[in-house]
Amino acid sequence: RFLRYSGGHLLITSEQNKGTQVTLLIPRAEQVSRTLPGKTQAAQPSILVLLPDSALRRNCCDSLLARQFQVEEAQSITTALDKLDNCPDITLAIVGATDSTQIWQMSQALIERNDDLQLLLLPPAPVELAKLSRQITVLEGSDAVAHVVAQVEQLLGRGG
């Protein structure tokens, strides 16, 4: 709870035969103290990163956190739906999978749970999916982390 209240993030990665790494990302004191006493700072929109590939998910999360985004990560649709229920400030979900049918099914489940949620779908999602809803953006070309982060910044109005 401390990390959530302070605007921090907990990242746990585990690899078979290598061990588990726990990373606590806590904001610097000057970042927290920018809010005047008695004033409340507006909640930052959070990004849900739903990627089954642990390396890509970890790299996306790290890059977004480095750019001061709030990040929730999920490896499965079940975890992602739980995060949506428990984190009302999630405004954007990055969704990827190994096939386009799986991406579409996950997208439908996320939108049914939160009909204001924006989706950024990674390849191999077909570009045609973006025509089905104003909430859907399909990333064309590479799913390289820098490309994903640049698109997130554009969608959330942060400029690149």
Side-chain angles (χ1 to χ4, degrees):
R1 288 189 182 222
F2 167 76
L3 286 172
R4 183 170 306 282
Y5 293 128
S6 66
H9 185 74
L10 173 68
L11 184 63
I12 301 173
T13 54
S14 184
E15 293 186 40
Q16 191 172 10
N17 298 327
K18 290 189 178 183
T20 300
Q21 178 181 359
V22 178
T23 305
L24 302 176
L25 300 169
I26 302 170
R28 285 183 265 167
E30 67 261 15
Q31 291 175 320
V32 175
S33 64
R34 287 185 186 159
T35 304
L36 296 173
K39 301 272 185 183
T40 56
Q41 186 175 0
Q44 290 277 1
S46 289
I47 300 166
L48 175 63
V49 179
L50 172 54
L51 300 171
D53 179 313
S54 62
L56 180 59
R57 186 177 64 252
R58 183 174 45 246
N59 290 337
C60 279
C61 289
D62 289 347
S63 294
L64 291 165
L65 287 165
R67 287 165 180 78
Q68 306 303 311
F69 286 105
Q70 299 292 325
V71 178
E72 298 289 337
E73 62 179 296
Q75 183 175 356
S76 70
I77 188 62
T78 304
T79 305
L81 293 172
D82 288 343
K83 299 264 184 188
L84 278 180
D85 289 340
N86 296 313
C87 303
D89 57 339
I90 294 174
T91 59
L92 173 69
I94 300 169
V95 180
T98 55
D99 68 73
S100 58
T101 302
Q102 199 175 22
I103 292 172
W104 176 240
Q105 290 169 344
M106 291 190 299
S107 300
Q108 285 181 307
L110 292 168
I111 290 174
E112 284 175 12
R113 188 64 57 98
N114 179 344
D115 59 2
D116 291 327
L117 186 67
Q118 286 184 278
L119 299 178
L120 175 59
L121 308 182
L122 303 188
V127 177
E128 296 78 34
L129 289 181
K131 297 175 185 171
L132 300 176
S133 172
R134 62 174 173 68
Q135 297 164 247
I136 296 175
T137 301
V138 176
L139 188 70
E140 295 184 59
S142 169
D143 66 353
V145 173
H147 190 196
V148 173
V149 171
Q151 185 67 52
V152 166
E153 289 178 325
Q154 182 180 0
L155 287 170
L156 296 180
R158 286 224 185 154

